[in-house]
Amino acid sequence: MTDVSVLIVTHNNAAQIGACLDALARWTRLAHEVILVDNASGDATLAAVKPFAGIRLIANRENIGFAAAINQAG
């Protein structure tokens, strides 16, 4: 059973997303799921997310903005 859902919207954050996901895995004590929406990053964000197991990834082909992306995740 999942206690909490963590929704992340990202765009061109290859340098930061790994640390974010590491911290979630290390410090979140509740049963949780991570749903990450990538808004058409042009850098290595998608490659940086791949090593993390159990993340539901939605990769948009175009940047649809934060509000629309967070709605995709929810």
Side-chain angles (χ1 to χ4, degrees):
M1 177 179 208
T2 300
D3 294 322
V4 65
S5 296
V6 179
L7 311 178
I8 301 170
V9 176
T10 190
H11 177 73
N12 290 337
N13 284 312
Q16 295 87 17
I17 195 64
C20 174
L21 297 173
D22 278 336
L24 281 170
R26 176 179 250 181
W27 299 108
T28 305
R29 300 290 182 233
L30 298 172
H32 66 283
E33 65 178 343
V34 177
I35 303 167
L36 189 142
V37 180
D38 180 74
N39 256 342
S41 290
D43 66 357
T45 299
L46 292 177
V49 172
K50 284 186 179 183
F52 294 89
I55 293 176
R56 193 168 108 206
L57 175 63
I58 301 169
N60 289 331
R61 291 184 178 190
E62 62 184 52
N63 187 337
I64 61 173
F66 178 81
I70 205 73
N71 284 336
Q72 280 184 301

